[in-house]
Amino acid sequence: MVDDALLNAIAKYIDNKEAISFDTNIVRILIHIYNEIDFINPFLLKDYSLIDKNLLRYGLPEEELVKFKNSFNRYMVNQSEDDFLTIYKIIMDMIAYKYKDDFITKEEVVEYENIFFKGKSVNALNKYWDSTLYKINNKIKFTEARENVFNPYAYYLQGKTMADIKEMSNEKLYHLNRKILREYNIKVDDKNMINKLNIAISKAMMPRGQLSTGNGFVDILMFLSFVATEIMVGAIIAVQMLVR
């Protein structure tokens, strides 16, 4: 047909939905993630760019889609193990993006696994899938990340300004917050984690001889008077975000 493995696979799937092969299995997985009509209709209309648009719907980076399609094309020629792993890892990433604000059911996991591992089991692939499921179902929902914006100096110590935090995705902010809490041995489920973090940072970073107010967040704001003007502006943004 054309020199595009995904389009050829969709054509094969339309021609015989019961056909079992590597490329038609890929289409089946994508249909589980997205929607059958989002592949069939654009294909029949020859609006192939719409297929790509649908695949990017949940937030998959465009460069990852290009990598997926290139690996798919190569695999259909040379059956490289590296391309096989790349294809399936990106598909698992697609699943993670789909469920970034939700959880995946056992029934859905079974549906994916019935296609993923049919006829071929690779240890690295199993581990990546386990990691993907853990990321989906063992997390604070990323939508809660904005409720846990730490004081500006916590991010300053990580090389981030409040402008950076404002532009950061919920997922990236969540992982950055977890990293900061680990550094100060504070549990993520601690109800007083933000106050404890403020106190820990103020104790560690207040200049010698500087009087402490006894309030970690106020101490941080005092200390910020000694650093860049940009961080002071960030403090105002942080307070506004915290009180929302």
Side-chain angles (χ1 to χ4, degrees):
M1 182 188 158
V2 294
D3 188 22
D4 187 305
L6 180 57
L7 294 181
N8 289 336
I10 294 172
K12 286 176 64 176
Y13 175 82
I14 293 173
D15 186 59
N16 182 4
K17 292 187 178 182
E18 303 302 318
I20 301 299
S21 61
F22 175 84
D23 52 346
T24 55
N25 277 350
I26 294 298
V27 174
R28 287 187 181 86
I29 294 170
L30 295 178
I31 284 172
H32 275 297
I33 301 171
Y34 300 96
N35 187 306
E36 185 174 52
I37 199 169
D38 291 336
F39 291 93
I40 304 301
N41 283 357
F43 180 86
L44 295 177
L45 294 171
K46 296 186 178 180
D47 188 358
Y48 304 140
S49 64
L50 185 55
I51 295 175
D52 290 351
K53 184 177 180 180
N54 289 331
L55 290 170
L56 297 171
R57 182 192 320 159
Y58 298 121
L60 181 75
E62 191 167 353
E63 57 270 24
E64 287 298 292
L65 177 57
V66 172
K67 186 177 180 181
F68 166 76
K69 294 176 72 176
N70 288 341
S71 296
F72 197 179
N73 288 337
R74 286 195 301 269
Y75 184 83
M76 296 307 296
V77 175
N78 56 31
Q79 282 76 53
S80 162
E81 190 75 8
D82 286 341
D83 287 325
F84 174 86
L85 291 174
T86 297
I87 291 166
Y88 274 93
K89 284 180 177 180
I90 293 177
I91 287 175
M92 291 176 189
D93 290 341
M94 291 176 180
I95 294 171
Y97 278 110
K98 177 178 180 178
Y99 294 94
K100 63 181 180 293
D101 293 324
D102 204 351
F103 297 98
I104 189 170
T105 67
K106 292 181 179 179
E107 291 74 20
E108 289 170 316
V109 171
V110 170
E111 287 181 355
Y112 287 125
E113 289 182 348
N114 282 341
I115 303 173
F116 273 147
F117 303 110
K118 182 171 290 186
K120 191 166 190 177
S121 181
V122 180
N123 190 45
L125 191 59
N126 293 330
K127 289 180 178 179
Y128 200 84
W129 179 231
D130 289 342
S131 175
T132 300
L133 292 178
Y134 181 85
K135 181 167 67 173
I136 292 172
N137 281 344
N138 293 273
K139 66 179 183 294
I140 294 177
K141 282 196 174 186
F142 294 143
T143 52
E144 296 176 1
R146 296 287 155 192
E147 298 174 16
N148 293 325
V149 176
F150 300 153
N151 68 61
Y153 205 68
Y155 298 118
Y156 174 74
L157 294 174
Q158 301 294 324
K160 302 291 184 183
T161 67
M162 291 309 298
D164 296 327
I165 299 304
K166 191 174 182 180
E167 296 300 320
M168 192 175 288
S169 69
N170 285 341
E171 181 174 356
K172 288 184 178 179
L173 177 58
Y174 167 79
H175 288 295
L176 177 60
N177 286 350
R178 290 295 296 268
K179 179 177 182 289
I180 292 171
L181 290 173
R182 283 196 302 270
E183 289 184 3
Y184 291 92
N185 296 315
I186 299 171
K187 293 182 179 179
V188 70
D189 57 352
D190 191 323
K191 293 180 180 179
N192 298 314
M193 67 177 182
I194 292 180
N195 188 49
K196 286 183 178 180
L197 178 63
N198 291 337
I199 293 171
I201 293 177
S202 66
K203 286 181 178 179
M205 303 308 300
M206 285 294 289
R208 288 186 180 182
Q210 177 72 44
L211 294 176
S212 173
T213 66
N215 183 301
F217 187 58
V218 174
D219 287 347
I220 288 297
L221 293 181
M222 290 174 61
F223 184 74
L224 286 174
S225 66
F226 295 95
V227 296
T229 302
E230 180 183 30
I231 306 302
M232 282 297 295
V233 175
I236 297 172
I237 298 173
V239 171
Q240 291 174 341
M241 296 176 77
L242 281 169
V243 299
R244 284 179 183 175

